[in-house]
Amino acid sequence: MDDNLGSKVKKLRIDHGLTQEDVAKALDVTPGYISNVENGRNLMTLRMLAYYADLTGVSLDYLAGSVDKSYQKTALDNEIMQLVERMNNAEKEKLISTLRIWFPSK
């Protein structure tokens, strides 16, 4: 199946025998909004994706797709940096001591 959200939304709607009007009514949006999503002109909000996933019986990650591996690495690095920035010097020294246990110098 295509990773394109619009294609997934349309295929799921058709597979469930729903019209754009049916989906729009269930999600409290206009049929034009559903058409724009299906044609790639609009993206659904996270809330709308969750409602659509529930409506069609699929998981949210199926609709949204997986997170790019390079993004995951960057996100982890950013989270570590944010935590370290909040530490005082004594806490940073403890962290360094702990890391040296895990990664002894050769």
Side-chain angles (χ1 to χ4, degrees):
M1 178 182 243
D2 188 353
D3 284 338
N4 180 303
L5 176 64
S7 298
K8 288 180 183 179
V9 167
K10 184 174 184 177
K11 181 171 182 349
L12 285 168
R13 176 180 61 76
I14 292 169
D15 288 351
H16 284 80
L18 299 168
T19 65
Q20 288 181 343
E21 290 79 17
D22 296 331
V23 173
K25 185 174 180 179
L27 300 181
D28 196 26
V29 296
T30 66
Y33 173 81
I34 300 303
S35 174
N36 284 337
V37 169
E38 289 182 359
N39 290 302
R41 292 187 293 268
N42 279 4
L43 292 176
M44 289 182 157
T45 64
L46 182 57
R47 179 176 294 217
M48 205 55 59
L49 280 172
Y51 290 150
Y52 195 78
D54 188 53
L55 176 69
T56 57
V58 299
S59 65
L60 185 56
D61 64 333
Y62 171 79
L63 280 177
S66 61
V67 176
D68 183 302
K69 297 293 184 198
S70 64
Y71 175 80
Q72 287 177 323
K73 182 180 185 308
T74 303
L76 288 174
D77 290 342
N78 289 339
E79 184 174 359
I80 289 169
M81 292 305 298
Q82 289 171 2
L83 291 170
V84 169
E85 287 172 0
R86 294 184 357 210
M87 295 174 147
N88 62 38
N89 283 342
E91 292 167 333
K92 288 177 183 177
E93 288 174 10
K94 287 179 186 177
L95 176 60
I96 289 170
S97 295
T98 302
L99 290 171
R100 285 186 179 143
I101 292 169
W102 286 359
F103 305 102
S105 58
K106 296 180 180 182

